[in-house]
Structure formats: structure tokens, C-alpha cells
Amino acid sequence: MNFAFSEEQEFLRNEVRKLLDTRCGLPQVRELAASPEGYSLELWGQIGELGWLGLTIPEAYGGGGLGWEELVILLEETGRHLFPSPLISTLLCAEAITRFGNDAQRQRWLPDLAIGSRIGTLAFLEESDHWSADAVGLCARRDGEGLVLDGEKRFVQDIAAADLVVVVFRCDAGELRIAVIESGSDGVSVQSREPIDATKRFGDLTLSGVRVPPDALLEGGGSATQQIQEILQLGALATASEIVGTAEGALALTVQYAKDREQFQQPIGHFQGVKHPLAETYMEIETLKSLVYFAAWALDNGDDGVALATSQAKAYASEVITRAGVTGIQLHGAVGYTLEYDIQLYLKRSKWARPMYGDEIHHYERAATLGGL
Amino acid sequence: MNFAFSEEQEFLRNEVRKLLDTRCGLPQVRELAASPEGYSLELWGQIGELGWLGLTIPEAYGGGGLGWEELVILLEETGRHLFPSPLISTLLCAEAITRFGNDAQRQRWLPDLAIGSRIGTLAFLEESDHWSADAVGLCARRDGEGLVLDGEKRFVQDIAAADLVVVVFRCDAGELRIAVIESGSDGVSVQSREPIDATKRFGDLTLSGVRVPPDALLEGGGSATQQIQEILQLGALATASEIVGTAEGALALTVQYAKDREQFQQPIGHFQGVKHPLAETYMEIETLKSLVYFAAWALDNGDDGVALATSQAKAYASEVITRAGVTGIQLHGAVGYTLEYDIQLYLKRSKWARPMYGDEIHHYERAATLGGL
Amino acid sequence: MDFDFSPEEDAFRARVQSFLDAHLPSEFDARDPDFLKQWNRALGEAGWLGFAWPKEAGGGGATIIEQFILKEEMSARRAPPLGSDFMGLTWVGPALIEHGSDEQKQQFLPELLAGESCWCTGYSEPGAGSDLASLSTRAERDGDDYVVNGQKIWTTLAHVAKYIFMLVRTESSSRYGGITCVLIPMDSPGIEIQPIPNLSGEVSFNQVFFKDVRVPVASRLGKEGEGWRVVVGALANERSGISEATEKLRHIEDLEELARKVMRGGRPAVEDPEVRRKLASFRTRIAAMRLTGMRHLTNQLQGRRPSSETSINKLLRGQLEIEMDAFAMGLLGTQAQTQGRWQYLSLSYHGTVIGGGTPNIQRNIIAERILGLPKD
Amino acid sequence: MDFDFSPEEDAFRARVQSFLDAHLPSEFDARDPDFLKQWNRALGEAGWLGFAWPKEAGGGGATIIEQFILKEEMSARRAPPLGSDFMGLTWVGPALIEHGSDEQKQQFLPELLAGESCWCTGYSEPGAGSDLASLSTRAERDGDDYVVNGQKIWTTLAHVAKYIFMLVRTESSSRYGGITCVLIPMDSPGIEIQPIPNLSGEVSFNQVFFKDVRVPVASRLGKEGEGWRVVVGALANERSGISEATEKLRHIEDLEELARKVMRGGRPAVEDPEVRRKLASFRTRIAAMRLTGMRHLTNQLQGRRPSSETSINKLLRGQLEIEMDAFAMGLLGTQAQTQGRWQYLSLSYHGTVIGGGTPNIQRNIIAERILGLPKD
């Protein structure tokens, strides 16, 4: 029994935080958010070299061979800094290949993903906007040896930057398939969409006669439905991890404002009407940490409870980040409504984070079912 | 356009409040709650003489011929005083007879109900606990000229005190019927139940071969389903009206406590953690008043919106009284948890008031349907 | 009690409706300057501008109920309610009529009634937000002029306004008593305007800096030290908040439409029992807002002091904005992370909730002034 | 991180489970004195009483983890956790071991370990609730005695306790420094007990009046003026709050059973999507309570200062009690107005939420001590 991070893990956290404090403070975040790419290629290369991108990729394929406990630490810090990058997308692509690819596929793609020389993403969501394997409607037709895709995927994260796209679709009698396609393939086109949070980019993907060669299919172990749920689950846990840091960042800004801003000859943080909502936010974030850390441990240790734990973590995270954003803005008063103050950046992030890989409506229902209701 | 009570109405309010302040303060309420009957026969007789019981009964049958605007005033004050009596039950019985009885039936029952020499009630609810005409399952069988009832009604308010019981049941091919039976009839038996709020008594009613003579059936105008919904609606509005006063009573007690009780060398009402929940309660009560008063006006003036307005009023009232009870207890701290302090009386009343004639779950669903959803 | 309107009032409502039928297109962009200009002219010609003002001052001399009906019908159609000079017509005009000199009235009122002026108002300062009485922009007497130095913030429309109606401190020893109201052309030397983009990147607020701005004493409105009295105003303006309630009614209608359109768990969201109950709960509170506005209106009609209705509705509205937004975003699902009308609203409602006193200020007002709890 | 238990710990858990299988009936009334007596004896014989205490003091010398497992298993079966002398075993014993004289230890510890004593603790006073440091019950030195005058309130079990472990003021100039701990037999002359019925009409609290109660100086625990140190305690007691978390787990299981049984809109309530989401949300927060308790446990195991976990779980628990109750009452419908197990809980949970510091006190602790916001 030990619910604490190890010294090595704390060291990782400090390293990540130090680098992001220096290289990616909120002024830099604003700059990157205003840039066409939305992230810094240079910084991306640097964290690739530092091994952050390949943290969970097996050492044999150029990664760090660490677990989600470490990843949660990394993501908490990127969430806290509102770090703009295709990190989660690349991570999900690499996880899919690691978990469901064969050795050749791993050799082919993972080393590049581990150092960030290629960027990956997951193309899952469709018109129905439902984060569940049953909701996949995209259907491939057979053409000789291979499969051909015609259709659309929506809200594909970081699609403009991505080189490799993990696509989920059906074929033949409706069986689910997962494949890795190159974004430069013939017939692939991307329509970027306007994000509320300019640090999180996405777009719609149109596939017109895109060929899926047999060696692009990820077919290893287990049912495709389970594999897809597994990937979505990883997305949910990654997002919940970022939410921990983002909510802490919003709280820290607001606490500082409450100490600095005076009204009626007092810092506003003196009034219970201000301090109590902040205490509630703190309580919620600490509660969320317990859920997220346990889910990561369960994932790394093959615990049966991982699906339930992940849904609990993401459901609660979606609620926490929504409230933390609103509380932050409201307690800032009029300046919270300006572009100048940073709290709005966190509010905008909450609009991204609440629904991503399923909101609380989705995950509480899932948790109810997993819990036997 | 005039959303204010008239001088006469304000006069009525003052009269009621004066009498109840004098004759039914909280010490008296506690005494009556501990008595076997649960109410004061003497006070009941007195308010009968004052015309309060027959307020809405037509003058031709010994009543005051006033409307629900006046009744709301009366009920707000009885709610504020936690006045223990079979008032709402008698009222609903009288309304059923007034609205759906023929002249002979009105002549026979209303004058007694108006002065309180007989007490009435409504036996509606069954095992399904659903406040809707479709939920009636009790079925009469034909026996010669009349009908015979065998079965149960649950949570019949003030049934131990009642002389006349309005019973809702089905007959023949399932048509709904409403009849007035005497509680002394052969085959009627009552099982009192233990109330949380000893100022509101009720019990289960068992009917074993109870004869319903033809002249006991209320058959005037319209469909029985509509009539039943109408009576339930009156029950909901009456309860919502009492809730206004009850919530105000709980708020007044708690505000006074917040002014008197000192902690950390300050009256606790100085702290926003205390004053803000009290302000919220005040806001909710005033909002509720707007809904309840409008519903009463709509009822008196045959406005189309009365069903929706009533469901809105009772739904919101159920929420307001639940929160007001909890807030009151919690802000009282440890003394709120004692039998000695009066705030617990209001908490207990909230357990009665929330579900009575439909809680917020029931009435918001109904309001959604009535509003076209 | 009586929730019916008289036949005359119904006829008046019909008149407003025909005006709207004739002049308000079914589709319009409330931020398009051409549309606003045309709409403004139509309002002026029909006599709706200054409709509440006394006839002697060139206004419409409308009753409180007529104002109520006018506002309700306008907001029911989502019309820009009082033309483009909202501040001028609602606050400045009435204050001029009550406290202005003849010269001031002649100078400003005709322009206002023609829909040709544009006013901003300067109350808040960086150090005086919820606590207005601590304002510190100074006006020092120098011959026949005041010399104004200081800074205003959250000044809506300052970047387009022709005049500012503002509070300055003419005496520093008294918190409320040392405050005076002055009227200043925005092109006066020494005024510098700095727009404040809001979180959606749009400019609606400004900071306004005053450096040795000379203002003739004749431009003072009311007496020195009576700035509060001037601002509080006394004209028989309809203040029930009916426009806000009607706006929320449009909001819930849109939300119901959204709930019918989007899916949840494979079925239209509107079939989910919680969605139905939530929508009904919003509608209930919005209905109550309108009714509470009518209680306020009744108090005004009967010449009674306004009670707590305004604070109640502000507090309730803040609660509704937050809940309705979280609900709308939940209905939108992943769609919430991209730009759109609902998403725009989701950022911008925060300005509404904070504007005119934060929810905590409303709670304090209720707790202290009405419930008599100790002051902070 | 590691959420697994060692084989030794698993074996210990099995031992606890067999004890419970053998001694805890599947149905019992936790308020039946005969049952309690028997249960107490079984606990004492198995060595579970004082299980956390050092072996030198006659205790079980259990590790923190063993204590955790013991509490978790007991509360999983809803067993009265530590016999009938909860206060004595949890607070008084450890304080005696740490601060007691040899005579005091010999006098009180064997009785405690045999399950034969019953202690109450006297902290709160009418004027000192959330603000304990303002207590005013005085103990004045008179020869070899203290003479105690004053009044305690909310004293749990005072009407049945043999001794009281209480704080008195021996000096009035210092708020915290003038407080001393004394041990007094409840049958001492001058003590008068007045039960306080709770809102369900049951007695669990009392007021205790002290009129010239003479207490030998030898009955003081620790030094004069060090009452706070004595009360805060330092023994390696497991304080993760695991029992509370496990209790809530039983609570949610019962609630789920209720939701399966009752109907809503003609179908089992558990099919209503909102009911499902609510139940899942409760379960989520309860799971988090247990996990947060484990973080606390880890801090203890690693010898780190306790952090905010206790305040967090108290605040969360208060929120859960209120929400779960409103939800349960909603499921019960009209049934909520009659007496029953759920309804009894609906009244009595208020004591739990207030006990040990109101939610507002927890919020202040978090805001001031952890977030560093200004004190009230």
C-alpha cells in the first residue's frame, strides 16, 4: 500500500515543470495560440529529445518504457501550463500501435513517434458525436487485396499537424477495424475548424477513395471493439490528467487575484463569498487527483477496475474543470471578462476538456453500467 | 395589471397572523403535535366560526365565496405557523363537492365543512405512489343499484379525524369515479401511520365491502380524469402556498439565530458563508411567491395557463422547502440538531411538503409536457 | 391582483406589434451599422425614442405600463431595444430633464430624441469596482473650469461615444458627498481612450484616461457634491427588468429547439427525463422572473418604494445563465469546443452576470438591507 | 504507487474476516445493550481493543496498515467498530499512554483494554463551538485540588460514561496556553448531567454542569497549560478516515437497492438516466474518499505531516450526505413523510455533517491554511 509518487517520479515532475515554466509561460502560450501551427516545432523537437513523447513507448522501439503513472505527471504539467502541442494525439496513436500492432508496424512507426519526428492522431468521432465503438459508421469497401475508405471523421485533434492517423472503421459484415494511414495519402483532405481554445486544434477529415494497405491494419490480440474502447479510455484518462493541472492552474491564478485585489479596504480573498468557492475548488481537485492516480495505477497493473476507474475519473474531471473555469472567471469580476487577464484561457480550455473522449453524462452512464446498474 | 394584494386581502392576512401568533405559537404547536388528535378542536371550531374553513365555499352553502387568492394568504400563514389541523384535507373535500357535486350534495355536506363541524379528506394515493389519475387502481364492483369497494388507499391525510372521505376509484370498464363516503360506514377501517412531522397526520385506509350509494357519486360536468387532475392540482397549489409561509418561517428563525449567535467575537451572520445562503433562500422564496400568486390568480380567473402555473409553483416549492430546511439546520450548527430548537420542526415539515401532491420530479415532468416538450 | 391588460393597453400592444412588423426584418444582424442606423431612424420617427420622457421635454409621455409593453414586445422580437444610444436615452436624458439647465437641455435633448447622439457613462474606476464610492478621478476648480484628472474603466462604447456622462470627485473628505456629475465631449483635449478587448476578442469596454481635461463649470449636471442624486435619477422609468425576462424566454426557446435537435444515447435529447425536467426548471424560473418584474412594476404603479425585486431577479438570472450554459454545452457535446452561436454565448454571458454588481454584491444587498444581517 | 497489500497483510485481513464470521451475527441491533456487551467481550478477548496501542502499554502494537484493514473490514460489515468505549479507546487511551503518570496508566488502561470502562470527552461549551479556544470552564487551584466550575455541551454519552476527559481553563490571559486537561469520575459531587435530545428525540448528547467539583491535581493529564498538546495526541493511530469511506459505500449500496425497488414514471427508478448518473456520481465520490484516505495513510506511513486530506474528505462527505439524502427522499416519494430507516437517516445525518467542524469551518481551514487566503 503506497499512494505516493516515487522520488524518480517527483524528479520527472520537477523537470517537466521547470522546462515548461521557462519555455512555455502564458505569454508564450498566447503567442503559440496566435500562430498558424498552434504549437512550437522547436519545443516539440526538444521534448521529443528529452523522451517525453515516447515515455510509454517500449524501450525496444525507442521509447522510455515507463507507465501511465509517469504519463499522468507529464500531462498534469502540460495541462497546468496550457501547453499547446499535439501531445495527447501522438500519444494515442503510439499507444494504438504499441498495443495492437505487430512487430513490423512497431518498428516502422514507433521510433519516429517517440522522438516527435512524426506526429500522430486518432480519427474516431463521426456525425453522431458518440464516444463509443458502436457509434462507428465509416465503412470500407474491398478493392482487390486492400480496403478503400470513403467518408468523414469529425473533430480529429491536431489533424493539420499529423503525419499518421489511426482510423477506426467497419468492413465487410460490419466488423470494426483499426488502421494507420498516412495523412499525405491520396484522397485524404482536412478541413480545419475554428476552436474556442486556440491551444487545441482540430478539424474534419474527408477520405475519398483512400487505400488502406493490409500492412496498415492493426490486428493484434483481442476484439477490435475492446481495442477501440481501450484507446478511448486512454484518451479519457489523458484528458482527465491534463484537467488536474489545468484546474490547479486556474485555481492558482484566482487565489493570487483574491490576495491582490482589494475592495472595501480588504483583499477580496478575506470574504467567505470568495474564499469558500476557492476551498471547494481545491477540495474537488484533490478528490479528482485520487481518482486519476488510481486509474493510472490500475491501468499499469492490469487491475480489473481500470475501465470503471477511468470513467469515474473523466466524469468527475469534466465536472471539476467546468466549475473551476466558471468560478475562476466569476471571482475575477470584470477583469475575468477581458482578453488581457489569463483566467479566460482556462475557461476556454474547459470547453475543450469537458466533452473530449466523453463528458460526465457519457462517463457516469458508463460507470453505472460497469458498476452493475 | 396589478400584482399586489388588495387592502381587504392584506387585512385578512393580518387577522390570520394575529390569531395564529396568539393562539398557535411554536410552543402550542409542539403541544398539539404531542397530543393524540394532533390538532386543537377548540381552535378548529374557532377558525370555522371565523369563516376560514369555508373561505372558498359559495355563500349559498355557508361559505365565504372568496377565491384562491384569499386562500393562498390563509395557507401562507398556516404554513408559517406550522399550524396543525386538517385544513388542506377539508378544503380539498369541499372543493371536490363544490366543483363536481350536484345541488343536493352541496346542500348536504358543504355547510358542515364550512364551519368545521365535519372534517373532510381525499383518499387518492395507492401502492404505486403516483399523483396522477392513470395511477388509480382501486376498482368497485356492482351490487344491485350501488357500487361496493374493496381495497386500500395510502397516505390519506388527516384520515383519523375525517368524517367525509372523497374516494377516487374505477368501475365497470375502468372509468374513473369520485365519491364521498362517510368514514363511519361499515367496512371502513383506518391504520394510522407514524409521521415524521407530527403536525401532519395520515394513515392508510382499508375498504372492505364498503357500499357507495348512487347519491354519493360526484358526477357533475367534464371527465372524471380531468376532475381528478383538477383536485390534485388544488392540492399541489395549497401545499405550495403553505410552503411559502413555512420557508419564510424557517428563514426568519435562522436569520434571527445568525444575528444572535456569536463565534470568533462576531455574530455569525457577519460571515458571508452564513449570510449568502440566507440571501439565496430569500431570493428563492420571493421567486416562489411570484409563481404561487400567479397560479392562484390564474385559477380564480379561468386562465388557460393554470395547470402549467400550478406545476411550476409546486415543483419549485418542493425544491425551495427542501433547501430551506437543510440550510436552516446547517446554519444553526449543533443546536440545529437538537429537539429543543425550533428549526427542526421546519425540517420535518419539509419531509411532508416536498412529495405532497407531487414533488419536483413529478411536476417538472408535467410542466415539460404541458409546455409542449 | 389582475394580470390582464386593459383594452387600451391591448390596443397599444397591437400598435407596437404593427410597428415591428413594418420595420423589423425577420432576419437582421444587430451589430450591422447600416441596419442600426435605419432602425434608429424608424424608432425616432415613430416617437419611440424618449417615449418615456415627459411631453414637455419632447418625449412621448408614456405610462409605465406602455413602457413595459413596448419593451416586452421589442425584446420578444429580439429588436435592439432603444436604438443605438441606450445609455443616452435611459440614463442621461432623464437626468438632464430632472437636473439640467435650460442650456444643457437645449444642447443635448433634441439630438438624443433624433437618435443622433451617442453617450457613454463613466462610473467604475480601476480601484472602484463593486465599491463605487471609492472613486478617485478628481475635478479641481480653476476659474470657470474644472480640471479633470484620473481614469475610468469598463466604459461601454467610449470608443464611439460623442459625450461622456461621468462622476468625478470634487471633495475628498466625504466618501459619497464629494462626488459630482459632469458632461464632457469625448473629443476634449486630454482624453485618451484605450479599448479593452473582452475574452471573445471584441471591444465593448474601454479605459478612458483624463489628463488635465478642462470642463466648463457650466457642464456640471446638478449641484457640486450631488453626483449620486443625479445618477440615481427619479423619472418614471419602467424598471421591472421585463426585457431581461423576455430575453431569457427567447433563450429557453432556443435551448428547447437544441434539445429537440441533438441526440443523447441514440435518442433525441429531449426524451431524456433529466433534460425534460431541466428545461422545465429553467422555464419555471424564467416565468417567475417575468412575474417578479410585474411585482416591481406594480410597486412603481402604486407609487411604493421599490423593494428587493431587482436584486432577486439579478441573482436568479446569474444562476440561470450559469446553469443554462452548462446545460447547453452538455447538449452540444464535442461541438462545444468549436466556434458557434452557443459557444459565443458561453463566453459572453459572464459579462452579463458580473455587470451591474456581481452575484456576491446582490447577496450582500439582500442579506444586509432586507434581512438586516451585519455589514461586511 | 502500489494499491496491493502484502501477503502478510492479506493474511491479516483474512484473520479479521474469520473473527467477524465467528462473532458478528448477520443481523443485529447496534443499539441493543446485550449485543454490545457480548460484542465488546469478544473484541477484548481477540485483542482488538487497544489493538493500535504499543505492546508495552498492553495493546496490540498493530501497524498502521493493520489498523486500516481492521477498520475497513469492520465497517464493511457495519460492526460497531471499536466496542462501546469508542472515545476511551481512540482518544483517552493514547493520551494516557503518551502523557499519563504511572498511577494514571495503572488506574485506567486495564479497564479500557478489558472493554469495561466508558469515557466521554468534554471540549465544547455553549460559548465555544467552532471556536474551541474560547472555552471558559475554570479550574482554580485550591491546595492539592482543582476546583472546577463551568459547563460543557454536546458531550456524547455523558449520561452513561464513567469518566470524563476534559479541557479546563487554568489561566485566562492566554487563549490557547491557559488550557489544561483533567480526568474526572462522572460521579464526582457537583457534576450534573442534562441530556439533550436530538431532533429525532433520542439522547446522544448532554450538557454537563460543574459546580465546585474538586479534582485532585494528580488527576491532571500532562502539564498545566498543555491541554492542547494532550488532546492533539501523537500515537501512531490510523487516521485515514477509512471507516467513514466504507460506511458511505454501504450507504450507496443501499441506495442502489432502493433505486432498483421503487418505481418512477411506471418503470424501476434505476432505469431513469438521471438516477443512473446520480448513483454513479455518488459512487465516484465515495471511491475518491477511500482513495484520499489512502493518500492520508501513505503520508502517515512515510512519516510525513498530514496534509489536507481530512478536511477534503469532511467537506466532500458533507456534500454527499446532503445530496444523497435529497436523492433518497426523492426516490421514496410520499413515503418520505412517514417513519422509517431512510427517514431516520434523513434527520440524523445533520449531526454527522456538523460534527467535528461545520462545512464552513472546513472551507476556512482549506482556504486559510492551504491556499493562504486572509483569515476571517
Coordinates of all heavy atoms in Angstrom, one line a residue, chain A residues 33 155 157 192-203 348 351-352, chain C residues 335-340 343 347:
Chain A
A33 N -0.7 30.2 -29.5 CA -2.1 30.1 -29.9 C -2.5 31.0 -31.1 O -3.4 30.7 -31.8 CB -3.0 30.5 -28.7
F155 N -13.9 16.3 -35.7 CA -13.2 16.7 -34.5 C -11.9 15.9 -34.4 O -11.7 15.4 -33.3 CB -14.1 16.6 -33.3 CG -15.2 17.6 -33.3 CD1 -16.5 17.3 -33.6 CD2 -14.9 18.9 -33.0 CE1 -17.5 18.2 -33.6 CE2 -15.9 19.9 -33.0 CZ -17.2 19.5 -33.3
Q157 N -8.4 15.6 -33.6 CA -7.5 16.5 -32.9 C -6.1 16.6 -33.7 O -5.6 15.6 -34.1 CB -7.2 16.0 -31.5 CG -8.5 15.9 -30.7 CD -9.2 17.2 -30.4 OE1 -8.6 18.1 -29.9 NE2 -10.5 17.3 -30.7
S192 N -9.8 22.4 -41.4 CA -9.6 22.8 -40.0 C -10.9 23.5 -39.5 O -11.6 24.2 -40.3 CB -8.4 23.7 -39.9 OG -7.2 23.0 -40.1
R193 N -11.1 23.4 -38.2 CA -12.3 24.1 -37.7 C -11.8 25.1 -36.7 O -10.7 25.0 -36.2 CB -13.2 23.1 -37.0 CG -13.7 22.1 -38.0 CD -14.8 21.2 -37.5 NE -16.0 22.1 -37.2 CZ -17.2 21.6 -36.8 NH1 -17.3 20.2 -36.7 NH2 -18.2 22.3 -36.6
E194 N -12.6 26.1 -36.4 CA -12.2 27.2 -35.5 C -12.4 26.7 -34.1 O -13.5 26.5 -33.6 CB -13.1 28.4 -35.7 CG -12.8 29.2 -36.9 CD -11.5 30.0 -36.8 OE1 -11.3 30.7 -35.7 OE2 -10.7 30.0 -37.7
P195 N -11.3 26.6 -33.3 CA -11.5 26.2 -31.9 C -11.8 27.4 -31.0 O -11.5 28.5 -31.3 CB -10.1 25.6 -31.6 CG -9.2 26.4 -32.4 CD -9.9 26.8 -33.7
I196 N -12.6 27.1 -29.9 CA -12.7 28.1 -28.9 C -11.4 28.3 -28.2 O -11.0 29.4 -27.9 CB -13.7 27.6 -27.8 CG1 -15.1 27.5 -28.3 CG2 -13.7 28.4 -26.5 CD1 -15.9 28.8 -28.3
D197 N -10.7 27.2 -28.0 CA -9.4 27.2 -27.3 C -8.3 27.0 -28.4 O -8.1 25.9 -28.8 CB -9.3 26.0 -26.3 CG -8.0 25.9 -25.7 OD1 -7.1 26.8 -25.9 OD2 -7.8 24.9 -24.9
A198 N -7.7 28.1 -28.7 CA -6.7 28.1 -29.8 C -5.5 27.3 -29.5 O -4.6 27.0 -30.4 CB -6.3 29.5 -30.2
T199 N -5.3 26.8 -28.3 CA -4.2 25.9 -28.0 C -4.6 24.4 -28.3 O -3.7 23.5 -28.1 CB -3.8 26.0 -26.5 OG1 -4.9 25.5 -25.7 CG2 -3.5 27.4 -26.1
K200 N -5.8 24.2 -28.7 CA -6.2 22.8 -29.0 C -6.8 22.9 -30.4 O -7.9 23.4 -30.6 CB -7.2 22.3 -28.0 CG -6.6 22.0 -26.6 CD -5.8 20.7 -26.5 CE -5.4 20.4 -25.1 NZ -4.5 19.2 -25.1
R201 N -6.1 22.3 -31.4 CA -6.5 22.4 -32.8 C -7.2 21.1 -33.2 O -6.8 20.1 -32.8 CB -5.3 22.7 -33.7 CG -4.5 23.9 -33.3 CD -5.3 25.2 -33.5 NE -4.6 26.4 -33.0 CZ -3.9 27.2 -33.8 NH1 -3.8 26.9 -35.1 NH2 -3.3 28.2 -33.3
F202 N -8.1 21.2 -34.2 CA -8.7 20.0 -34.7 C -9.4 20.4 -36.0 O -9.4 21.5 -36.4 CB -9.7 19.5 -33.7 CG -10.7 20.5 -33.2 CD1 -11.8 20.8 -33.9 CD2 -10.4 21.1 -32.0 CE1 -12.7 21.8 -33.4 CE2 -11.3 22.1 -31.5 CZ -12.4 22.4 -32.2
G203 N -9.8 19.4 -36.7 CA -10.5 19.6 -38.0 C -11.3 18.4 -38.4 O -11.3 17.3 -37.6
K348 N -11.6 28.8 -21.6 CA -11.7 28.3 -23.0 C -11.2 26.8 -23.0 O -11.8 26.0 -23.7 CB -10.9 29.2 -23.9 CG -11.6 30.5 -24.1 CD -10.7 31.5 -24.9 CE -11.5 32.8 -25.1 NZ -10.6 33.9 -25.6
K351 N -13.8 24.3 -22.2 CA -14.8 24.0 -23.3 C -14.3 22.8 -24.1 O -15.0 22.0 -24.7 CB -15.0 25.2 -24.2 CG -15.4 26.5 -23.5 CD -16.8 26.4 -22.9 CE -17.1 27.6 -22.1 NZ -18.2 27.4 -21.2
W352 N -12.9 22.7 -24.2 CA -12.3 21.6 -24.9 C -12.4 20.3 -24.1 O -12.7 19.3 -24.5 CB -10.9 21.9 -25.3 CG -10.2 20.8 -25.9 CD1 -10.1 20.5 -27.3 CD2 -9.4 19.8 -25.3 NE1 -9.4 19.4 -27.5 CE2 -8.9 18.9 -26.3 CE3 -9.0 19.6 -24.0 CZ2 -8.1 17.8 -26.0 CZ3 -8.2 18.5 -23.7 CH2 -7.7 17.6 -24.7
Chain C
Q335 N -19.1 19.3 -30.0 CA -19.3 20.6 -30.7 C -19.0 21.8 -29.8 O -18.8 22.9 -30.4 CB -20.8 20.5 -31.1 CG -21.3 21.5 -32.1 CD -20.9 21.1 -33.5 OE1 -20.9 19.9 -33.8 NE2 -20.5 22.0 -34.4
A336 N -19.0 21.6 -28.5 CA -18.8 22.8 -27.6 C -17.4 23.4 -27.8 O -17.2 24.5 -27.4 CB -19.0 22.4 -26.2
Q337 N -16.5 22.6 -28.4 CA -15.1 23.1 -28.4 C -14.8 23.9 -29.7 O -13.7 24.4 -29.9 CB -14.1 21.9 -28.2 CG -14.2 20.9 -29.3 CD -13.2 19.7 -29.0 OE1 -12.4 19.3 -29.7 NE2 -13.4 19.1 -27.8
T338 N -15.8 24.0 -30.6 CA -15.6 24.8 -31.8 C -16.4 26.1 -31.7 O -17.2 26.3 -30.7 CB -15.9 24.0 -33.0 OG1 -15.5 24.7 -34.2 CG2 -17.4 23.7 -33.2
Q339 N -16.2 27.0 -32.6 CA -16.9 28.3 -32.6 C -18.3 28.1 -33.0 O -18.6 27.3 -33.9 CB -16.2 29.3 -33.5 CG -14.7 29.5 -33.2 CD -14.4 30.7 -32.3 OE1 -15.3 31.3 -31.7 NE2 -13.2 31.0 -32.1
G340 N -19.2 28.9 -32.5 CA -20.6 28.9 -32.9 C -21.4 29.8 -32.0 O -20.9 30.5 -31.1
Q343 N -21.6 28.7 -28.3 CA -20.2 28.8 -27.7 C -19.9 30.2 -27.5 O -19.3 30.6 -26.5 CB -19.2 28.1 -28.7 CG -19.4 26.6 -28.9 CD -20.4 26.3 -30.0 OE1 -21.2 27.2 -30.4 NE2 -20.4 25.1 -30.5
L347 N -19.1 32.1 -23.7 CA -18.1 33.0 -23.2 C -18.7 34.3 -22.7 O -18.3 34.9 -21.7 CB -17.0 33.3 -24.3 CG -16.2 32.0 -24.8 CD1 -15.3 32.5 -25.9 CD2 -15.5 31.4 -23.6

